[in-house]
Amino acid sequence: MTLADVAAASGVSVTTASLVLTGRARELRISEAAERRVRATAQELGYRRGTRTTGPRTGLSRTIGFVLDTAESSAETGEVVRGAVEAAHRCGYLLFVGVSGGDPVVRGSLAESMRDRDVDGIVFAKADLHASFDLDGLRHGPVVLLNATVAGLPSVVPDEVRGGRSAARVLVEAGRVRGVHLIGAEPDRTAGGAARLAGLRQVFGAAGVEADVHGCPKWTPEAGYDVTRELLRRHRPDALVCLDDGLAFGAYQALAEAGLSVPGDVSVIGFGDHAAASWMRPRLTVVALPHRELGARAVEVLVGMVDGRGRGGRAPLVHRVPMPVRVGGSVARAGR
């Protein structure tokens, strides 16, 4: 497949196609629509722009690509990248990081550019485990998915089921076995929520705890506030399990408005360990998403594939990273 083929299929000149695919579209003020069309066509046709001038590749480049699908920067994203960079350094590799903003065309362009620079493999990282992930045309060479699963490809994800079990044990060991309510559980909508709910139910069921489930359309403080306020109209809960820290933040506000204290009247536990959790008073007890460890593990799995340690059918396709419990002051022992 040649550059002329891409140009013809895109309805542009060879010069325009060349400027787009070499990152120089702004030099001649090529329209955004034309630029996206050329990149999409190049990806669809499987066009690879050659950048090597020293002949055929003879070995490893000791570089790997890391493509983030996040649309915004955050402390959590920074921790993922930090873990990936540290793991690459330990393994003797250099990491190229690119951000697609969730745009599949940009994702494909980043992957193409990285492969043109002879990376030994690529990690594709999703910001949201619940979203779909289209990897058409991007499976060439060693690939590892982070926070996503696609049939037949190795992936690294948080161990949400074990995390759910850990959250339930915190409450059971504190004697919180009556009046337990789960906020945010909609298993048909969120893969992470379904897994957390499954783990919670395993431990609660074994301990004879009957927990009421309250769904939320979104995991936001507003949703947590609304659901908790509605719950308080009918019941006085003993403990709340919020499947995301944002829900817990809203629950705190609703409990305070009702004149109830945390944890004196109601114990609360959350998931995620977002930055807001550390500012809640008392500090929220959480089952944390191990962002740094996830980034590091994805790179380690990819390096293992490149070095040949992941071949032969012995390595698992899905690598689950434990979610640690970070104790705050939001859960009290029953009877205190």
Side-chain angles (χ1 to χ4, degrees):
M1 193 60 57
T2 68
L3 182 63
D5 295 324
V6 174
S10 304
V12 300
S13 68
V14 173
T15 299
T16 296
S18 176
L19 288 171
V20 169
L21 296 177
T22 55
R24 300 158 57 209
R26 298 297 179 265
E27 291 183 15
L28 293 182
R29 297 185 179 180
I30 296 169
S31 71
E32 184 176 341
E35 182 178 357
R36 291 175 64 86
R37 189 166 67 251
V38 170
R39 292 191 182 281
T41 301
Q43 180 179 337
E44 181 181 349
L45 296 179
Y47 171 74
R48 297 287 305 282
R49 176 173 53 86
T51 59
R52 294 188 296 272
T53 60
T54 56
R57 181 174 177 174
T58 59
L60 297 180
S61 67
R62 308 301 291 182
T63 61
I64 55 179
F66 197 91
V67 178
L68 284 156
D69 253 22
T70 182
E72 59 187 25
S73 178
S74 67
E76 291 81 10
T77 300
E79 282 296 288
V80 171
V81 174
R82 182 180 178 183
V85 169
E86 290 173 345
H89 179 72
R90 287 195 303 271
C91 297
Y93 280 73
L94 178 67
L95 194 72
F96 292 144
V97 180
V99 179
S100 73
D103 187 323
V105 174
V106 176
R107 183 194 306 141
S109 177
L110 286 169
E112 178 191 352
S113 295
M114 290 176 178
R115 290 196 174 107
D116 282 343
R117 286 159 179 79
D118 281 344
V119 295
D120 296 319
I122 299 178
V123 174
F124 292 100
K126 292 289 289 183
D128 184 4
L129 179 61
H130 318 142
S132 61
F133 202 13
D134 181 9
L135 279 178
D136 285 348
L138 302 181
R139 296 170 181 252
H140 309 296
V143 167
V144 171
L145 307 183
L146 173 55
N147 210 29
T149 55
V150 173
L153 290 178
S155 62
V156 175
V157 297
D159 195 339
E160 306 274 12
V161 173
R162 189 188 300 184
R165 291 199 293 260
S166 297
R169 288 193 192 100
V170 169
L171 293 181
V172 170
E173 291 171 2
R176 301 291 176 179
V177 295
R178 292 183 175 82
V180 177
H181 295 261
L182 312 181
I183 297 178
E186 293 198 16
D188 293 337
R189 189 184 70 85
T190 60
R196 293 173 190 180
L197 182 60
L200 285 160
R201 282 176 164 162
Q202 288 173 10
V203 173
F204 282 150
V209 177
E210 296 183 4
D212 291 336
V213 178
H214 307 269
C216 288
K218 295 181 179 179
W219 284 357
T220 62
E222 294 82 3
Y225 172 83
D226 291 341
V227 171
T228 304
R229 189 174 64 170
E230 181 62 29
L231 167 62
L232 291 171
R233 292 192 180 120
R234 303 188 307 272
H235 303 287
R236 159 73 181 277
D238 187 60
L240 298 179
V241 180
C242 299
L243 295 190
D244 183 80
D245 293 347
L247 295 170
F249 186 88
Y252 264 45
Q253 311 313 307
L255 292 170
E257 284 186 6
L260 299 173
S261 68
V262 178
D265 296 311
V266 182
S267 289
V268 181
I269 188 168
F271 283 83
D273 199 24
H274 305 303
S278 63
W279 289 100
M280 296 166 67
R281 295 294 180 268
R283 208 279 191 204
L284 182 66
T285 293
V286 299
V287 178
L289 284 168
H291 300 287
R292 190 168 171 181
E293 292 81 0
L294 285 165
R297 185 65 180 137
V299 167
E300 291 165 356
V301 170
L302 182 61
V303 169
M305 295 171 62
V306 171
D307 290 346
R309 297 191 299 271
R311 297 172 185 165
R314 294 183 296 275
L317 273 180
V318 180
H319 303 258
R320 303 187 188 278
V321 179
M323 300 174 66
V325 175
R326 293 178 181 157
V327 177
S330 62
V331 176
R333 293 196 62 81
R336 288 183 57 185

